[in-house]
Amino acid sequence: MKFIGQLLFPLVVLASHIVIILEADSTKDYLSIFLTILLAWFIGFVIDKYRASNKQLVISQNHTHQFKQGLQSTLDGIAISDHRGDFEFINDSYYKMYQYREGELTKWTQCYDASMIEWIEANALPLFLENGYWKGELQGRRKDGSLFPQEMSISRIQESNKIICVVRDATEKRSNEQLIERMALHNDMTDLPNRRSLLNTINDKIMRAQRFSLIFIDLDRFKTVNDTFGHHTGDEVIKEIGRRFTPFENEATTAFHLDGDEFVLLKELTAKDRVSDFVEQVLHHIQQPIAIGRNEVTITASLGITHYPEHAADMEHLLKYADFTMYHIKQQGKNSYQFYNDEVKAIFERKVLLEKELKKALQNEELYLTYQPKFDLTTHEMVGYEALIRWNNPHLGQVSPAEFIPLAEETSLIVEIGEWVIENVLQQLSHWKQKGHPLLKVSINISNIQIKHEQFLDTLTFYMQEHNIAPPYIELEITESLTSDDKKTIPLLEAIKSHGVGLSIDDFGTGYSSLHALNHLPIDTLKIDRSFVKDMETTKYGTDILKSMIDIGKNLKLDIIVEGIEKEEHVLLLKKLGCRTAQGYYFSKPLLPSEIEEYFLKKMPVAVNRPSH
């Protein structure tokens, strides 16, 4: 109890003086007894105060011990100093952080080198004195002189001149931040700086008005390496190519890996630099054979080059022009380099205009279809036709499909354009059917991008049902490149085939297709490219090669069509080689639907409609 002494002692005195109290007969006796009891209360009061103080001391000691234990157990370094900076308390973590033993640290200045102390006194201390608080990042110095990053906060302890300092070692945090930053700025395959790093570097050079060349590099036929040897080998090739840029890197030259098989070299320029000599050395290094396991791979590259500030004053156009110049070199034959110039500029500007106009072509009804007939070489009768898209633009005139189809594939407009072709072809067949003309099989060229679109088959079947055209009258012409990955291609083509639609490989012999693939793909027709017809007249083994291709198709029980027939000699030779069907200007150029109807369909006898082979 809090007042036990003040109650107990007076009661004891009162009890011991009860007889005296009863026999007391004067005021003096009562006063003496009262003073005795008062003295007993005072003694009890003193004892109670002592007991309370002692109890409070024990509590304070426990709190102090707990507080000290708390300060010692934290991983952060904690120190308390007086206003002069002399330490009065330091926990174990603080000692370990600075690698001192207990008692060796006395002043805060022992924890920093001279330059850091100067910075603290000039920047941190004024703010602390003004606000009573400061927090920031510093560089600490350990006992052995090594430096480490740290996060620090210092605060004035209220109602005292003491200062508490909390320090955290930021080495791991800084290391993680650097790792994250490196991952964000480097390609994880080659460890070369990536696209983001390239953009930062270009902007920095432009800000400093530093002349430089941007060399855009793309490996030639790299997809063939992946398809032939597998993606693991392809990855090893990319890594090796990345390493081959190392000899060229210095203070003036940096290599970047954008993505896939695309690289960039940035080279600062001086008046004496010959960029062409430098680029030829780069090409030479890239072309050296690469040994990967038992395989040896030789890679070439196409390079497009722009200069700052001659060719463009901003990052976007420098990259765009270099990329386009590289693409231009690929079209010209690959394994070379090209500087951006007026000729490339004109081609680039036309491409930009084409893209702009192509986006409006469908809406403005500038696209139309022609049909090139296919003929039986024995009867010379039309047995089918191929639908061919054409574009007549009011500003550009007649634009070749060889020019606008690749652009449509680049911009994904090919899906929309391809759907328009399918709809219009089936609508035309329906129109001829309604007029009583016999239906013949029509071939439709399909882009790899279009056929892989998730809605392709649904779109095709929808238009066949809408226009009431049976699947056997439709044949889709695909390119050989689609067959390079038969694991993905076969299920796709089998799904199309299950609906009764025919499949043909267009321009056979000019792309990539193996006999193994042909043996497993659900195709009906091989369409041999026109270049082999020309070779019959100009090369020693042209006729033998063409015969071999026809024999391959026949042995695989496929229909054979040869395109590019222009002379009667071609017809006679193809009949001799066993080819049944052909198309070309010898028979007819591509015609408008009205011309097909006028020249051929009206002259054909009305009969039971059946697809030709």
Side-chain angles (χ1 to χ4, degrees), residues 152-167:
M152 169 179 281
S153 64
I154 52 176
S155 304
R156 184 180 291 113
I157 299 176
Q158 294 183 356
E159 299 179 1
S160 75
N161 286 326
K162 310 297 184 193
I163 300 169
I164 184 169
C165 169
V166 179
V167 181

Side-chain angles (χ1 to χ4, degrees), residues 88 108 113 181 234 343 378 388 432 453 486 545:
E88 295 185 357
W108 73 270
D113 62 17
E181 182 179 4
E343 179 186 355
T378 302
L388 300 168
W432 283 333
H453 191 268
D486 55 2
I545 293 174

Side-chain angles (χ1 to χ4, degrees), residues 182-215:
R182 183 169 185 81
M183 291 173 64
L185 295 176
H186 286 73
N187 185 283
D188 58 357
M189 182 180 294
T190 59
D191 202 35
L192 290 174
N194 61 13
R195 181 180 293 273
R196 180 182 295 179
S197 182
L198 171 66
L199 301 183
N200 293 342
T201 304
I202 292 176
N203 280 329
D204 180 64
K205 290 183 181 297
I206 291 176
M207 290 287 291
R208 294 188 288 111
Q210 170 67 57
R211 293 182 65 240
F212 63 90
S213 285
L214 191 156
I215 305 166

Side-chain angles (χ1 to χ4, degrees), residues 419-483:
E419 182 176 339
W420 178 89
V421 170
I422 291 173
E423 180 183 12
N424 278 265
V425 167
L426 295 176
Q427 188 177 53
Q428 185 63 59
L429 290 184
S430 178
H431 175 71
W432 283 333
K433 179 180 177 182
Q434 291 171 8
K435 294 185 73 172
H437 296 310
L439 283 185
L440 302 175
K441 181 180 289 188
V442 61
S443 298
I444 304 174
N445 292 282
I446 302 295
S447 163
N448 291 354
I449 296 174
Q450 180 187 1
I451 201 171
K452 291 178 180 178
H453 191 268
E454 59 182 359
Q455 299 298 324
F456 174 76
L457 188 53
D458 291 339
T459 299
L460 178 63
T461 55
F462 169 78
Y463 286 122
M464 286 193 300
Q465 293 170 3
E466 183 179 44
H467 297 291
N468 193 27
I469 301 299
Y473 292 100
I474 306 298
E475 183 176 71
L476 305 182
E477 292 193 5
I478 61 175
T479 62
E480 283 189 85
S481 60
L482 184 65
T483 70

Side-chain angles (χ1 to χ4, degrees), residues 374-557:
K374 299 177 183 178
F375 288 85
D376 186 299
L377 293 180
T378 302
T379 66
H380 283 210
E381 291 181 348
M382 185 176 72
V383 293
Y385 19 70
E386 177 184 3
L388 300 168
I389 189 170
R390 297 292 184 260
W391 179 22
N392 187 19
N393 180 267
H395 306 294
L396 300 167
Q398 200 74 29
V399 184
S400 168
E403 188 174 17
F404 74 82
I405 292 298
L407 181 60
E409 292 180 326
E410 285 181 34
T411 57
S412 296
L413 288 170
I414 194 65
V415 175
E416 184 180 359
I417 291 174
E419 182 176 339
W420 178 89
V421 170
I422 291 173
E423 180 183 12
N424 278 265
V425 167
L426 295 176
Q427 188 177 53
Q428 185 63 59
L429 290 184
S430 178
H431 175 71
W432 283 333
K433 179 180 177 182
Q434 291 171 8
K435 294 185 73 172
H437 296 310
L439 283 185
L440 302 175
K441 181 180 289 188
V442 61
S443 298
I444 304 174
N445 292 282
I446 302 295
S447 163
N448 291 354
I449 296 174
Q450 180 187 1
I451 201 171
K452 291 178 180 178
H453 191 268
E454 59 182 359
Q455 299 298 324
F456 174 76
L457 188 53
D458 291 339
T459 299
L460 178 63
T461 55
F462 169 78
Y463 286 122
M464 286 193 300
Q465 293 170 3
E466 183 179 44
H467 297 291
N468 193 27
I469 301 299
Y473 292 100
I474 306 298
E475 183 176 71
L476 305 182
E477 292 193 5
I478 61 175
T479 62
E480 283 189 85
S481 60
L482 184 65
T483 70
S484 61
D485 189 354
D486 55 2
K487 291 182 180 179
K488 294 181 180 179
T489 302
I490 290 177
L492 176 64
L493 299 183
E494 285 181 340
I496 296 172
K497 189 70 176 173
S498 67
H499 285 71
V501 175
L503 291 168
S504 169
I505 291 185
D506 192 15
D507 298 333
F508 179 68
T510 61
Y512 172 91
S513 60
S514 66
L515 294 179
H516 176 270
L518 290 179
N519 195 33
H520 290 82
L521 290 173
I523 57 176
D524 308 286
T525 306
L526 288 185
K527 189 173 184 181
I528 298 175
D529 186 68
R530 65 182 68 246
S531 62
F532 294 98
V533 175
K534 293 181 179 179
D535 287 346
M536 289 192 303
E537 300 176 324
T538 59
T539 62
K540 182 178 180 180
Y541 299 105
T543 301
D544 294 332
I545 293 174
L546 184 59
K547 182 180 185 306
S548 297
M549 297 175 71
I550 292 173
D551 289 342
I552 287 173
K554 293 172 66 175
N555 291 335
L556 293 174
K557 303 189 183 311

